Amino acid sequence: QAFFCLLFCIPWGSSCPPSCQCTERAGAKAVLCSSRHLEEIPKDIPRDVVFLKLDANSITRIPSNAFRHLSHLEEIDLSRNSIEKIDGAAFKGLGAGLRTLDLSSNRIRSIPKEALLALNAKLRLANNPWHCECALQEVLWEARLDPDSVQDITCHTAPREEYVGKPLLQVLDAGVNFCSVRQRTTDVAMFITMFGWFAMVVAYVVCYVRHNREDGCRHGDFLTALPSSQAHAE
């Protein structure tokens, strides 16, 4: 925050969120909301902000369209919060000019890949309790990650115990493909479901045939016994 205060030392004349400090220099506007005990992203951030600092707060979720009106943003710092959930459209509307998005040191276990893959920004995702899965693997492969923090994207949980505690990049370099694991799991689940339905149909047919056979036998016994009863009556 001290760096931003030195860089943007001229106060704004326009509105500013009450819990933040707003500064400007050479036409670049910054909103500094570091360590303000915020539990959610302020709703009244000026539209022409370029740098947004929200680090070291208590934000737990990034909802859809949280930054939709901030098309001039170039840097967003959301590090050192308590973020657990990020909606798929959380960063919708951000312009192509977004250069940096810092989500490091939060509580993020998983993230919709569509939330990040549409961005051109350099991403910092280190020091989160990640669950290593297909979506995270696709982000690592396709998104622009900060090379200095890639090794700190660690598997906090994983489909197999041997991956836990290892950097995701190391696991993938060893030949693991979480996306193919998910596909195999889906195929197995579909096979089990189809087998269950088939077994139910077979059981129904067997019961139906057995029931009809028993009814036929009872009816036959009745017809067999009918003449002898009439003869006895005569």
CSV table of all heavy atoms in Angstrom, one decimal, residues 178-208:
chain,number,residue,atom,x,y,z
A,178,PHE,N,-5.8,-34.9,-14.7
A,178,PHE,CA,-7.0,-35.0,-13.9
A,178,PHE,C,-8.3,-35.0,-14.7
A,178,PHE,O,-9.3,-35.5,-14.3
A,178,PHE,CB,-7.1,-33.8,-12.9
A,178,PHE,CG,-6.0,-33.8,-11.8
A,178,PHE,CD1,-4.9,-33.0,-11.8
A,178,PHE,CD2,-6.1,-34.7,-10.8
A,178,PHE,CE1,-4.0,-33.0,-10.9
A,178,PHE,CE2,-5.2,-34.8,-9.8
A,178,PHE,CZ,-4.1,-34.0,-9.8
A,179,CYS,N,-8.2,-34.4,-15.9
A,179,CYS,CA,-9.4,-34.4,-16.8
A,179,CYS,C,-9.7,-35.8,-17.3
A,179,CYS,O,-10.9,-36.1,-17.4
A,179,CYS,CB,-9.1,-33.4,-18.0
A,179,CYS,SG,-8.9,-31.7,-17.5
A,180,SER,N,-8.7,-36.6,-17.6
A,180,SER,CA,-9.0,-37.9,-18.1
A,180,SER,C,-9.5,-38.8,-16.9
A,180,SER,O,-10.3,-39.7,-17.1
A,180,SER,CB,-7.7,-38.6,-18.7
A,180,SER,OG,-6.7,-38.7,-17.7
A,181,VAL,N,-9.0,-38.5,-15.7
A,181,VAL,CA,-9.5,-39.2,-14.5
A,181,VAL,C,-11.0,-39.0,-14.4
A,181,VAL,O,-11.8,-39.9,-14.1
A,181,VAL,CB,-8.7,-38.8,-13.3
A,181,VAL,CG1,-9.4,-39.3,-12.0
A,181,VAL,CG2,-7.3,-39.3,-13.4
A,182,ARG,N,-11.4,-37.7,-14.5
A,182,ARG,CA,-12.8,-37.3,-14.4
A,182,ARG,C,-13.6,-38.0,-15.5
A,182,ARG,O,-14.7,-38.5,-15.2
A,182,ARG,CB,-13.0,-35.8,-14.5
A,182,ARG,CG,-14.4,-35.4,-14.3
A,182,ARG,CD,-14.5,-33.9,-14.4
A,182,ARG,NE,-14.3,-33.4,-15.7
A,182,ARG,CZ,-14.5,-32.2,-16.1
A,182,ARG,NH1,-14.8,-31.2,-15.2
A,182,ARG,NH2,-14.3,-31.8,-17.4
A,183,GLN,N,-13.1,-38.1,-16.7
A,183,GLN,CA,-13.8,-38.8,-17.8
A,183,GLN,C,-14.0,-40.2,-17.5
A,183,GLN,O,-15.1,-40.8,-17.7
A,183,GLN,CB,-13.1,-38.6,-19.1
A,183,GLN,CG,-13.8,-39.2,-20.3
A,183,GLN,CD,-15.1,-38.5,-20.6
A,183,GLN,OE1,-15.2,-37.3,-20.5
A,183,GLN,NE2,-16.1,-39.3,-20.8
A,184,ARG,N,-12.9,-40.9,-17.0
A,184,ARG,CA,-13.1,-42.3,-16.7
A,184,ARG,C,-14.1,-42.5,-15.5
A,184,ARG,O,-14.9,-43.5,-15.6
A,184,ARG,CB,-11.7,-42.9,-16.2
A,184,ARG,CG,-10.7,-43.0,-17.4
A,184,ARG,CD,-9.6,-44.0,-17.0
A,184,ARG,NE,-8.9,-43.5,-15.9
A,184,ARG,CZ,-7.8,-42.7,-16.0
A,184,ARG,NH1,-7.4,-42.3,-17.2
A,184,ARG,NH2,-7.2,-42.3,-14.9
A,185,THR,N,-14.0,-41.6,-14.6
A,185,THR,CA,-15.0,-41.7,-13.4
A,185,THR,C,-16.4,-41.6,-14.0
A,185,THR,O,-17.3,-42.3,-13.5
A,185,THR,CB,-14.7,-40.6,-12.4
A,185,THR,OG1,-13.4,-40.8,-11.9
A,185,THR,CG2,-15.7,-40.7,-11.2
A,186,THR,N,-16.6,-40.6,-14.9
A,186,THR,CA,-18.0,-40.4,-15.5
A,186,THR,C,-18.4,-41.7,-16.2
A,186,THR,O,-19.6,-42.1,-16.1
A,186,THR,CB,-18.0,-39.2,-16.4
A,186,THR,OG1,-17.5,-38.1,-15.6
A,186,THR,CG2,-19.3,-39.0,-17.0
A,187,ASP,N,-17.5,-42.2,-17.0
A,187,ASP,CA,-17.8,-43.4,-17.8
A,187,ASP,C,-18.2,-44.6,-16.9
A,187,ASP,O,-19.2,-45.3,-17.1
A,187,ASP,CB,-16.7,-43.8,-18.7
A,187,ASP,CG,-16.4,-42.8,-19.8
A,187,ASP,OD1,-17.3,-42.0,-20.1
A,187,ASP,OD2,-15.3,-42.9,-20.4
A,188,VAL,N,-17.5,-44.8,-15.8
A,188,VAL,CA,-17.8,-45.9,-14.8
A,188,VAL,C,-19.1,-45.6,-14.2
A,188,VAL,O,-19.9,-46.6,-14.1
A,188,VAL,CB,-16.7,-46.0,-13.8
A,188,VAL,CG1,-17.1,-46.9,-12.7
A,188,VAL,CG2,-15.4,-46.4,-14.4
A,189,ALA,N,-19.4,-44.4,-13.8
A,189,ALA,CA,-20.7,-44.1,-13.2
A,189,ALA,C,-21.9,-44.3,-14.2
A,189,ALA,O,-22.9,-44.9,-13.8
A,189,ALA,CB,-20.7,-42.6,-12.8
A,190,MET,N,-21.7,-44.0,-15.4
A,190,MET,CA,-22.7,-44.2,-16.4
A,190,MET,C,-22.9,-45.8,-16.6
A,190,MET,O,-24.1,-46.2,-16.7
A,190,MET,CB,-22.4,-43.6,-17.8
A,190,MET,CG,-22.4,-42.1,-17.7
A,190,MET,SD,-22.0,-41.3,-19.3
A,190,MET,CE,-23.3,-42.0,-20.4
A,191,PHE,N,-21.8,-46.5,-16.6
A,191,PHE,CA,-21.9,-48.0,-16.8
A,191,PHE,C,-22.7,-48.6,-15.6
A,191,PHE,O,-23.5,-49.4,-15.8
A,191,PHE,CB,-20.5,-48.6,-16.9
A,191,PHE,CG,-20.5,-50.1,-16.9
A,191,PHE,CD1,-20.8,-50.7,-18.1
A,191,PHE,CD2,-20.2,-50.8,-15.8
A,191,PHE,CE1,-20.8,-52.1,-18.1
A,191,PHE,CE2,-20.2,-52.2,-15.8
A,191,PHE,CZ,-20.5,-52.8,-17.0
A,192,ILE,N,-22.3,-48.1,-14.4
A,192,ILE,CA,-23.0,-48.7,-13.2
A,192,ILE,C,-24.5,-48.3,-13.3
A,192,ILE,O,-25.4,-49.2,-12.9
A,192,ILE,CB,-22.4,-48.1,-11.9
A,192,ILE,CG1,-20.9,-48.7,-11.8
A,192,ILE,CG2,-23.2,-48.5,-10.7
A,192,ILE,CD1,-20.1,-48.1,-10.7
A,193,THR,N,-24.8,-47.1,-13.7
A,193,THR,CA,-26.2,-46.7,-13.7
A,193,THR,C,-27.0,-47.5,-14.8
A,193,THR,O,-28.1,-48.0,-14.5
A,193,THR,CB,-26.3,-45.2,-14.1
A,193,THR,OG1,-25.6,-44.4,-13.1
A,193,THR,CG2,-27.8,-44.8,-14.2
A,194,MET,N,-26.4,-47.7,-15.9
A,194,MET,CA,-27.0,-48.5,-17.0
A,194,MET,C,-27.2,-50.0,-16.5
A,194,MET,O,-28.2,-50.6,-16.8
A,194,MET,CB,-26.2,-48.5,-18.3
A,194,MET,CG,-26.2,-47.1,-18.9
A,194,MET,SD,-25.2,-47.0,-20.4
A,194,MET,CE,-26.0,-48.2,-21.5
A,195,PHE,N,-26.2,-50.5,-15.9
A,195,PHE,CA,-26.3,-51.9,-15.4
A,195,PHE,C,-27.4,-52.0,-14.3
A,195,PHE,O,-28.1,-53.0,-14.3
A,195,PHE,CB,-24.9,-52.3,-14.8
A,195,PHE,CG,-24.9,-53.7,-14.2
A,195,PHE,CD1,-24.8,-54.8,-15.1
A,195,PHE,CD2,-25.1,-54.0,-12.9
A,195,PHE,CE1,-24.8,-56.1,-14.6
A,195,PHE,CE2,-25.1,-55.2,-12.4
A,195,PHE,CZ,-25.0,-56.3,-13.2
A,196,GLY,N,-27.5,-51.0,-13.5
A,196,GLY,CA,-28.6,-51.1,-12.5
A,196,GLY,C,-29.9,-51.1,-13.1
A,196,GLY,O,-30.8,-51.8,-12.7
A,197,TRP,N,-30.1,-50.2,-14.1
A,197,TRP,CA,-31.4,-50.2,-14.8
A,197,TRP,C,-31.7,-51.5,-15.5
A,197,TRP,O,-32.8,-52.0,-15.5
A,197,TRP,CB,-31.5,-49.0,-15.8
A,197,TRP,CG,-31.8,-47.7,-15.2
A,197,TRP,CD1,-30.9,-46.7,-15.0
A,197,TRP,CD2,-33.1,-47.3,-14.8
A,197,TRP,NE1,-31.6,-45.6,-14.4
A,197,TRP,CE2,-32.9,-46.0,-14.3
A,197,TRP,CE3,-34.3,-47.9,-14.7
A,197,TRP,CZ2,-34.0,-45.2,-13.7
A,197,TRP,CZ3,-35.4,-47.1,-14.2
A,197,TRP,CH2,-35.2,-45.8,-13.7
A,198,PHE,N,-30.7,-52.1,-16.1
A,198,PHE,CA,-30.9,-53.4,-16.8
A,198,PHE,C,-31.2,-54.5,-15.8
A,198,PHE,O,-32.1,-55.3,-16.1
A,198,PHE,CB,-29.5,-53.7,-17.6
A,198,PHE,CG,-29.6,-55.0,-18.3
A,198,PHE,CD1,-30.3,-55.2,-19.5
A,198,PHE,CD2,-29.0,-56.1,-17.8
A,198,PHE,CE1,-30.4,-56.4,-20.1
A,198,PHE,CE2,-29.0,-57.4,-18.4
A,198,PHE,CZ,-29.7,-57.5,-19.6
A,199,ALA,N,-30.6,-54.5,-14.7
A,199,ALA,CA,-30.9,-55.5,-13.7
A,199,ALA,C,-32.3,-55.3,-13.2
A,199,ALA,O,-33.0,-56.3,-12.9
A,199,ALA,CB,-29.9,-55.3,-12.5
A,200,MET,N,-32.8,-54.1,-13.0
A,200,MET,CA,-34.2,-53.9,-12.6
A,200,MET,C,-35.1,-54.4,-13.6
A,200,MET,O,-36.2,-55.0,-13.3
A,200,MET,CB,-34.4,-52.4,-12.3
A,200,MET,CG,-33.7,-51.8,-11.1
A,200,MET,SD,-33.9,-50.0,-10.9
A,200,MET,CE,-35.7,-49.9,-10.8
A,201,VAL,N,-34.9,-54.1,-14.9
A,201,VAL,CA,-35.8,-54.6,-16.0
A,201,VAL,C,-35.8,-56.1,-16.0
A,201,VAL,O,-36.9,-56.7,-16.1
A,201,VAL,CB,-35.3,-54.1,-17.3
A,201,VAL,CG1,-36.1,-54.7,-18.5
A,201,VAL,CG2,-35.5,-52.6,-17.4
A,202,VAL,N,-34.6,-56.8,-15.9
A,202,VAL,CA,-34.6,-58.2,-15.9
A,202,VAL,C,-35.3,-58.8,-14.7
A,202,VAL,O,-36.1,-59.7,-14.8
A,202,VAL,CB,-33.1,-58.7,-15.8
A,202,VAL,CG1,-33.0,-60.2,-15.6
A,202,VAL,CG2,-32.4,-58.4,-17.2
A,203,ALA,N,-35.1,-58.2,-13.5
A,203,ALA,CA,-35.9,-58.6,-12.3
A,203,ALA,C,-37.4,-58.5,-12.5
A,203,ALA,O,-38.1,-59.4,-12.1
A,203,ALA,CB,-35.4,-57.9,-11.1
A,204,TYR,N,-37.8,-57.4,-13.1
A,204,TYR,CA,-39.2,-57.2,-13.3
A,204,TYR,C,-39.8,-58.2,-14.2
A,204,TYR,O,-40.9,-58.8,-14.0
A,204,TYR,CB,-39.5,-55.8,-13.9
A,204,TYR,CG,-40.9,-55.5,-14.3
A,204,TYR,CD1,-41.9,-55.2,-13.3
A,204,TYR,CD2,-41.3,-55.6,-15.6
A,204,TYR,CE1,-43.2,-55.0,-13.7
A,204,TYR,CE2,-42.6,-55.4,-16.0
A,204,TYR,CZ,-43.6,-55.1,-15.0
A,204,TYR,OH,-44.9,-54.9,-15.4
A,205,VAL,N,-39.1,-58.5,-15.3
A,205,VAL,CA,-39.5,-59.5,-16.3
A,205,VAL,C,-39.6,-60.9,-15.6
A,205,VAL,O,-40.6,-61.6,-15.8
A,205,VAL,CB,-38.6,-59.6,-17.5
A,205,VAL,CG1,-39.0,-60.7,-18.4
A,205,VAL,CG2,-38.7,-58.3,-18.3
A,206,VAL,N,-38.6,-61.3,-14.8
A,206,VAL,CA,-38.6,-62.6,-14.2
A,206,VAL,C,-39.8,-62.7,-13.2
A,206,VAL,O,-40.5,-63.7,-13.2
A,206,VAL,CB,-37.3,-62.8,-13.4
A,206,VAL,CG1,-37.3,-64.0,-12.5
A,206,VAL,CG2,-36.1,-62.9,-14.4
A,207,CYS,N,-40.0,-61.6,-12.4
A,207,CYS,CA,-41.1,-61.6,-11.5
A,207,CYS,C,-42.5,-61.7,-12.2
A,207,CYS,O,-43.4,-62.4,-11.8
A,207,CYS,CB,-41.1,-60.4,-10.6
A,207,CYS,SG,-39.7,-60.4,-9.4
A,208,TYR,N,-42.5,-61.0,-13.3
A,208,TYR,CA,-43.8,-61.0,-14.1
A,208,TYR,C,-44.1,-62.4,-14.7
A,208,TYR,O,-45.2,-62.9,-14.6
A,208,TYR,CB,-43.7,-60.0,-15.2
A,208,TYR,CG,-44.9,-59.9,-16.1
A,208,TYR,CD1,-46.1,-59.2,-15.7
A,208,TYR,CD2,-44.9,-60.5,-17.4
A,208,TYR,CE1,-47.2,-59.1,-16.5
A,208,TYR,CE2,-46.1,-60.5,-18.2
A,208,TYR,CZ,-47.2,-59.8,-17.7
A,208,TYR,OH,-48.3,-59.7,-18.5
